[in-house]
Amino acid sequence: MDEFFDSADPASIDRFNAMLSEFYVKNRRPMPWRDEITPYRVVVSEIMLQQTQVPRVLKKFDEFIRIFPDFAALAQASLEDVLRAWQGLGYNRRAKYLLQIAQVIINRWDGIVPEDPAVLQTLPGIGAATAGSIVVFIYDRPVVFIETNVRRVFIHHFFQDRVGVSDMEIYPVLTWTLDHNHPREWYYSIMDYGTFLAGAIENPNRRSRHYAVQSKFSGSDREIRGRILKVLLAEGPVLGDLISQKIQSEEERTTRILGQMVDEGLLMRDGVLIRFPDNESRTP
Protein backbone atom coordinates (compact mmCIF):
# COMPACT_ATOMS: atom_id res chain seq x y z
CA MET A 1 0.00 0.00 0.00
CA ASP A 2 2.89 2.38 0.72
CA GLU A 3 5.00 1.39 -2.28
CA PHE A 4 5.53 4.00 -4.97
CA PHE A 5 6.06 3.21 -8.62
CA ASP A 6 7.88 4.74 -11.58
CA SER A 7 5.74 5.14 -14.69
CA ALA A 8 8.86 5.30 -16.86
CA ASP A 9 10.09 1.89 -15.68
CA PRO A 10 8.34 -1.15 -17.24
CA ALA A 11 9.48 -3.36 -14.36
CA SER A 12 7.93 -0.96 -11.87
CA ILE A 13 4.66 -0.99 -13.80
CA ASP A 14 4.74 -4.79 -13.77
CA ARG A 15 5.11 -4.72 -9.99
CA PHE A 16 2.19 -2.31 -9.70
CA ASN A 17 -0.05 -4.57 -11.77
CA ALA A 18 1.07 -7.62 -9.82
CA MET A 19 0.10 -5.82 -6.61
CA LEU A 20 -3.34 -5.02 -8.06
CA SER A 21 -3.87 -8.59 -9.21
CA GLU A 22 -2.92 -10.04 -5.84
CA PHE A 23 -5.23 -7.61 -4.04
CA TYR A 24 -8.13 -8.38 -6.38
CA VAL A 25 -7.81 -12.15 -6.01
CA LYS A 26 -8.10 -11.80 -2.24
CA ASN A 27 -10.57 -8.91 -2.03
CA ARG A 28 -12.84 -9.01 -5.08
CA ARG A 29 -16.22 -7.47 -4.27
CA PRO A 30 -19.23 -9.41 -5.59
CA MET A 31 -21.65 -7.14 -7.42
CA PRO A 32 -24.69 -8.17 -9.48
CA TRP A 33 -23.60 -6.16 -12.54
CA ARG A 34 -20.21 -7.89 -12.46
CA ASP A 35 -21.48 -11.38 -11.67
CA GLU A 36 -23.95 -11.29 -14.58
CA ILE A 37 -22.68 -8.95 -17.28
CA THR A 38 -25.13 -7.70 -19.91
CA PRO A 39 -25.07 -4.36 -21.74
CA TYR A 40 -28.25 -3.27 -19.98
CA ARG A 41 -27.03 -4.15 -16.49
CA VAL A 42 -23.74 -2.35 -17.13
CA VAL A 43 -25.46 0.83 -18.34
CA VAL A 44 -27.91 0.89 -15.43
CA SER A 45 -25.16 0.30 -12.86
CA GLU A 46 -22.85 2.94 -14.32
CA ILE A 47 -25.56 5.62 -14.27
CA MET A 48 -26.53 4.63 -10.73
CA LEU A 49 -22.90 4.75 -9.57
CA GLN A 50 -22.44 8.34 -10.65
CA GLN A 51 -22.02 10.35 -7.42
CA THR A 52 -23.38 7.41 -5.39
CA GLN A 53 -21.46 4.85 -3.37
CA VAL A 54 -21.64 1.15 -4.14
CA PRO A 55 -23.54 0.09 -0.96
CA ARG A 56 -26.45 2.38 -1.79
CA VAL A 57 -26.56 1.15 -5.38
CA LEU A 58 -26.50 -2.46 -4.22
CA LYS A 59 -29.70 -1.82 -2.26
CA LYS A 60 -31.55 -0.59 -5.36
CA PHE A 61 -30.04 -2.36 -8.35
CA ASP A 62 -31.81 -5.73 -8.19
CA GLU A 63 -35.16 -4.10 -7.47
CA PHE A 64 -34.76 -1.74 -10.43
CA ILE A 65 -33.81 -4.62 -12.73
CA ARG A 66 -36.85 -6.61 -11.60
CA ILE A 67 -39.13 -3.69 -12.48
CA PHE A 68 -37.37 -2.83 -15.74
CA PRO A 69 -35.53 -5.98 -16.91
CA ASP A 70 -34.16 -4.63 -20.19
CA PHE A 71 -33.81 -1.57 -22.42
CA ALA A 72 -37.17 -2.21 -24.10
CA ALA A 73 -39.07 -2.33 -20.80
CA LEU A 74 -37.36 0.79 -19.52
CA ALA A 75 -37.86 2.71 -22.77
CA GLN A 76 -41.64 2.19 -22.55
CA ALA A 77 -41.86 3.27 -18.91
CA SER A 78 -43.17 6.60 -17.69
CA LEU A 79 -40.83 9.02 -16.01
CA GLU A 80 -43.01 8.79 -12.91
CA ASP A 81 -42.52 5.02 -12.69
CA VAL A 82 -38.76 5.32 -13.23
CA LEU A 83 -38.47 7.98 -10.54
CA ARG A 84 -40.50 5.80 -8.19
CA ALA A 85 -38.07 2.90 -8.69
CA TRP A 86 -35.14 5.31 -8.35
CA GLN A 87 -36.14 6.61 -4.90
CA GLY A 88 -33.28 6.50 -2.44
CA LEU A 89 -30.47 7.05 -4.96
CA GLY A 90 -30.69 10.84 -5.18
CA TYR A 91 -29.59 13.08 -8.06
CA ASN A 92 -32.91 12.26 -9.71
CA ARG A 93 -32.00 13.76 -13.07
CA ARG A 94 -30.01 10.56 -13.58
CA ALA A 95 -33.28 8.61 -13.62
CA LYS A 96 -34.55 10.82 -16.43
CA TYR A 97 -31.25 10.46 -18.28
CA LEU A 98 -31.36 6.68 -17.94
CA LEU A 99 -34.89 6.63 -19.36
CA GLN A 100 -33.78 8.78 -22.30
CA ILE A 101 -30.70 6.61 -22.84
CA ALA A 102 -32.89 3.50 -23.06
CA GLN A 103 -35.21 5.22 -25.53
CA VAL A 104 -32.34 6.24 -27.80
CA ILE A 105 -30.72 2.79 -27.65
CA ILE A 106 -34.03 1.15 -28.62
CA ASN A 107 -35.22 3.69 -31.19
CA ARG A 108 -31.93 4.66 -32.84
CA TRP A 109 -29.67 1.65 -32.37
CA ASP A 110 -32.12 -1.28 -32.23
CA GLY A 111 -31.20 -2.10 -28.65
CA ILE A 112 -27.44 -2.30 -29.26
CA VAL A 113 -25.11 -0.21 -27.08
CA PRO A 114 -22.46 1.48 -29.28
CA GLU A 115 -18.84 0.45 -28.78
CA ASP A 116 -17.52 3.95 -29.45
CA PRO A 117 -17.16 6.09 -26.30
CA ALA A 118 -17.48 9.25 -28.39
CA VAL A 119 -20.91 8.13 -29.60
CA LEU A 120 -22.00 7.29 -26.06
CA GLN A 121 -21.06 10.79 -24.95
CA THR A 122 -23.81 12.16 -27.19
CA LEU A 123 -26.35 10.60 -24.81
CA PRO A 124 -27.76 12.60 -21.89
CA GLY A 125 -25.92 12.21 -18.60
CA ILE A 126 -22.95 10.36 -20.09
CA GLY A 127 -19.54 12.01 -19.89
CA ALA A 128 -16.10 10.70 -20.78
CA ALA A 129 -15.66 8.55 -17.66
CA THR A 130 -19.08 6.90 -17.90
CA ALA A 131 -18.71 6.33 -21.64
CA GLY A 132 -15.32 4.72 -21.13
CA SER A 133 -16.49 2.51 -18.29
CA ILE A 134 -19.53 1.32 -20.26
CA VAL A 135 -17.38 0.25 -23.21
CA VAL A 136 -14.79 -1.43 -20.98
CA PHE A 137 -17.31 -3.34 -18.90
CA ILE A 138 -19.58 -4.40 -21.77
CA TYR A 139 -17.04 -5.14 -24.49
CA ASP A 140 -13.81 -5.65 -22.49
CA ARG A 141 -12.08 -3.02 -24.62
CA PRO A 142 -8.94 -1.23 -23.34
CA VAL A 143 -10.37 2.28 -23.13
CA VAL A 144 -8.61 4.80 -20.90
CA PHE A 145 -10.89 6.66 -18.49
CA ILE A 146 -10.52 8.31 -15.11
CA GLU A 147 -13.01 8.19 -12.27
CA THR A 148 -12.68 8.72 -8.52
CA ASN A 149 -11.03 5.42 -7.61
CA VAL A 150 -8.72 5.41 -10.62
CA ARG A 151 -7.59 8.93 -9.72
CA ARG A 152 -7.07 7.97 -6.08
CA VAL A 153 -4.90 4.95 -6.87
CA PHE A 154 -2.70 6.67 -9.42
CA ILE A 155 -2.13 9.83 -7.40
CA HIS A 156 -1.13 7.75 -4.39
CA HIS A 157 1.23 5.35 -6.16
CA PHE A 158 2.68 7.46 -9.00
CA PHE A 159 2.59 11.08 -7.76
CA GLN A 160 4.16 10.85 -4.33
CA ASP A 161 3.90 14.11 -2.33
CA ARG A 162 2.59 15.99 -5.37
CA VAL A 163 -0.30 18.43 -5.07
CA GLY A 164 -2.42 19.87 -7.85
CA VAL A 165 -2.13 16.71 -9.96
CA SER A 166 -4.19 17.08 -13.11
CA ASP A 167 -5.97 14.31 -14.98
CA MET A 168 -3.90 15.22 -18.04
CA GLU A 169 -0.85 14.03 -16.08
CA ILE A 170 -2.58 10.81 -15.04
CA TYR A 171 -3.80 9.84 -18.52
CA PRO A 172 -0.40 8.82 -19.98
CA VAL A 173 0.52 6.86 -16.84
CA LEU A 174 -2.84 5.10 -16.99
CA THR A 175 -2.31 4.34 -20.69
CA TRP A 176 1.08 2.73 -20.03
CA THR A 177 -0.23 0.75 -17.07
CA LEU A 178 -3.58 -0.51 -18.40
CA ASP A 179 -3.77 -4.27 -19.01
CA HIS A 180 -4.81 -4.37 -22.67
CA ASN A 181 -5.50 -8.09 -22.54
CA HIS A 182 -7.89 -8.01 -19.60
CA PRO A 183 -9.06 -4.40 -19.23
CA ARG A 184 -12.37 -5.22 -17.57
CA GLU A 185 -10.82 -7.19 -14.72
CA TRP A 186 -8.01 -4.64 -14.44
CA TYR A 187 -10.47 -1.79 -13.89
CA TYR A 188 -12.42 -3.90 -11.41
CA SER A 189 -9.21 -4.39 -9.45
CA ILE A 190 -8.41 -0.65 -9.57
CA MET A 191 -11.86 0.26 -8.30
CA ASP A 192 -11.84 -2.28 -5.49
CA TYR A 193 -8.34 -1.27 -4.47
CA GLY A 194 -9.25 2.43 -4.67
CA THR A 195 -12.18 1.82 -2.33
CA PHE A 196 -9.81 0.07 0.07
CA LEU A 197 -7.39 3.01 -0.04
CA ALA A 198 -10.20 5.44 0.74
CA GLY A 199 -10.63 3.80 4.13
CA ALA A 200 -6.97 3.12 4.83
CA ILE A 201 -5.17 6.43 4.18
CA GLU A 202 -5.87 10.13 3.88
CA ASN A 203 -7.70 10.63 0.61
CA PRO A 204 -5.11 11.11 -2.19
CA ASN A 205 -7.80 12.80 -4.29
CA ARG A 206 -7.34 15.88 -2.11
CA ARG A 207 -4.11 16.31 -4.07
CA SER A 208 -5.98 16.36 -7.38
CA ARG A 209 -6.41 19.64 -9.21
CA HIS A 210 -10.02 18.60 -9.79
CA TYR A 211 -10.90 17.85 -6.16
CA ALA A 212 -14.11 19.40 -4.84
CA VAL A 213 -15.95 18.78 -1.59
CA GLN A 214 -19.51 17.56 -2.10
CA SER A 215 -22.04 19.88 -0.53
CA LYS A 216 -24.04 18.66 2.46
CA PHE A 217 -27.38 17.07 1.65
CA SER A 218 -29.24 18.26 4.75
CA GLY A 219 -30.87 21.61 4.05
CA SER A 220 -29.69 21.64 0.42
CA ASP A 221 -31.71 22.21 -2.74
CA ARG A 222 -31.17 18.50 -3.45
CA GLU A 223 -33.06 17.66 -0.29
CA ILE A 224 -35.94 19.97 -1.28
CA ARG A 225 -36.07 18.39 -4.74
CA GLY A 226 -36.30 14.97 -3.13
CA ARG A 227 -39.15 16.09 -0.89
CA ILE A 228 -41.06 17.49 -3.86
CA LEU A 229 -40.73 14.25 -5.80
CA LYS A 230 -41.74 12.21 -2.76
CA VAL A 231 -44.98 14.21 -2.41
CA LEU A 232 -45.84 13.86 -6.10
CA LEU A 233 -45.07 10.15 -6.14
CA ALA A 234 -47.31 9.63 -3.11
CA GLU A 235 -50.19 11.93 -4.06
CA GLY A 236 -50.12 12.44 -7.81
CA PRO A 237 -50.60 15.93 -9.30
CA VAL A 238 -50.51 18.63 -6.63
CA LEU A 239 -51.56 22.27 -6.63
CA GLY A 240 -48.40 24.29 -7.12
CA ASP A 241 -49.37 26.73 -4.36
CA LEU A 242 -49.60 23.89 -1.83
CA ILE A 243 -46.25 22.21 -2.41
CA SER A 244 -44.23 24.49 -0.15
CA GLN A 245 -46.65 23.74 2.70
CA LYS A 246 -46.54 20.01 2.08
CA ILE A 247 -42.75 19.86 2.16
CA GLN A 248 -42.44 22.51 4.89
CA SER A 249 -40.14 24.78 2.91
CA GLU A 250 -40.09 28.50 2.18
CA GLU A 251 -42.45 29.38 -0.65
CA GLU A 252 -39.92 31.48 -2.58
CA ARG A 253 -37.28 28.78 -2.43
CA THR A 254 -39.76 26.04 -3.37
CA THR A 255 -40.99 28.08 -6.35
CA ARG A 256 -37.45 28.56 -7.59
CA ILE A 257 -36.62 24.85 -7.29
CA LEU A 258 -39.91 23.85 -8.92
CA GLY A 259 -39.02 26.10 -11.85
CA GLN A 260 -35.68 24.36 -12.23
CA MET A 261 -37.32 20.93 -12.15
CA VAL A 262 -39.84 21.98 -14.78
CA ASP A 263 -37.05 23.38 -16.98
CA GLU A 264 -35.17 20.07 -16.63
CA GLY A 265 -38.22 18.07 -17.69
CA LEU A 266 -38.58 16.25 -14.37
CA LEU A 267 -41.93 17.94 -13.77
CA MET A 268 -44.47 19.94 -15.75
CA ARG A 269 -47.09 22.57 -15.06
CA ASP A 270 -50.63 21.62 -16.00
CA GLY A 271 -52.62 24.74 -15.28
CA VAL A 272 -52.39 25.21 -11.52
CA LEU A 273 -51.13 21.65 -11.01
CA ILE A 274 -47.60 20.31 -10.85
CA ARG A 275 -47.29 16.78 -12.23
CA PHE A 276 -44.96 14.40 -13.97
CA PRO A 277 -44.57 14.71 -17.77
CA ASP A 278 -46.36 12.34 -20.10
CA ASN A 279 -44.45 9.36 -21.45
CA GLU A 280 -42.33 10.30 -24.46
CA SER A 281 -40.87 6.86 -25.08
CA ARG A 282 -41.99 6.74 -28.68
CA THR A 283 -39.96 9.82 -29.58
CA PRO A 284 -36.44 8.91 -30.77
Side-chain angles (χ1 to χ4, degrees):
M1 183 178 70
D2 294 326
E3 185 176 357
F4 299 98
F5 300 92
D6 181 359
S7 61
D9 180 3
S12 185
I13 289 178
D14 287 344
R15 289 197 305 273
F16 172 75
N17 279 334
M19 178 200 69
L20 283 181
S21 179
E22 181 180 357
F23 176 88
Y24 186 62
V25 168
K26 296 178 180 178
N27 300 279
R28 180 187 184 275
R29 295 181 295 172
M31 298 178 190
W33 51 88
R34 293 184 185 179
D35 298 336
E36 182 184 342
I37 298 172
T38 69
Y40 178 68
R41 292 166 73 89
V42 168
V43 170
V44 170
S45 66
E46 288 303 310
I47 299 300
M48 285 186 171
L49 287 164
Q50 292 175 346
Q51 299 175 291
T52 303
Q53 294 182 341
V54 168
R56 287 180 62 196
V57 174
L58 286 171
K59 293 177 181 179
K60 297 295 294 187
F61 181 81
D62 285 339
E63 176 188 347
F64 192 93
I65 295 294
R66 283 196 298 270
I67 297 170
F68 309 113
D70 51 34
F71 284 121
L74 181 57
Q76 291 298 319
S78 68
L79 177 58
E80 179 177 357
D81 286 341
V82 176
L83 286 167
R84 191 181 308 280
W86 191 268
Q87 283 187 99
L89 286 173
Y91 294 99
N92 290 283
R93 274 178 294 184
R94 293 179 300 161
K96 182 175 186 290
Y97 294 151
L98 184 55
L99 173 59
Q100 293 173 320
I101 289 166
Q103 291 168 354
V104 172
I105 287 173
I106 289 296
N107 293 325
R108 187 180 301 171
W109 297 318
D110 296 324
I112 305 299
V113 178
E115 294 188 44
D116 185 347
V119 174
L120 287 172
Q121 286 185 68
T122 66
L123 294 171
I126 294 184
T130 301
S133 63
I134 287 172
V135 172
V136 169
F137 297 141
I138 292 177
Y139 298 111
D140 206 16
R141 283 187 50 197
V143 176
V144 174
F145 70 89
I146 296 177
E147 55 84 62
T148 299
N149 283 307
V150 173
R151 188 179 290 115
R152 180 181 295 121
V153 171
F154 276 81
I155 289 177
H156 177 63
H157 282 293
F158 289 94
F159 296 88
Q160 182 181 8
D161 300 327
R162 282 279 313 280
V163 296
V165 179
S166 74
D167 285 354
M168 293 304 295
E169 295 177 87
I170 297 174
Y171 271 114
V173 183
L174 179 55
T175 301
W176 299 327
T177 310
L178 173 61
D179 182 345
H180 284 242
N181 294 318
H182 307 96
R184 179 193 288 142
E185 292 293 313
W186 187 85
Y187 273 109
Y188 286 165
S189 69
I190 282 277
M191 291 178 179
D192 287 359
Y193 181 62
T195 299
F196 162 75
L197 279 184
I201 62 174
E202 183 178 353
N203 188 2
N205 280 341
R206 293 178 182 272
R207 297 193 281 116
S208 167
R209 181 178 297 178
H210 314 285
Y211 179 74
V213 178
Q214 188 177 41
S215 60
K216 292 183 178 179
F217 177 73
S218 179
S220 67
D221 283 4
R222 288 190 292 124
E223 184 180 28
I224 299 300
R225 291 164 68 98
R227 290 185 197 170
I228 291 170
L229 291 177
K230 190 172 182 179
V231 167
L232 288 166
L233 289 169
E235 302 183 17
V238 176
L239 287 169
D241 293 342
L242 295 181
I243 290 181
S244 62
Q245 300 175 33
K246 288 179 176 291
I247 67 170
Q248 299 180 336
S249 176
E250 303 93 332
E251 183 175 356
E252 182 177 348
R253 185 184 188 190
T254 303
T255 299
R256 172 178 59 81
I257 293 172
L258 276 172
Q260 293 172 349
M261 296 175 77
V262 169
D263 290 344
E264 293 165 7
L266 280 173
L267 302 174
M268 66 174 290
R269 299 185 188 276
D270 187 359
V272 296
L273 297 174
I274 299 292
R275 66 178 180 86
F276 291 107
D278 296 323
N279 190 3
E280 298 179 357
S281 65
R282 298 187 184 280
T283 302

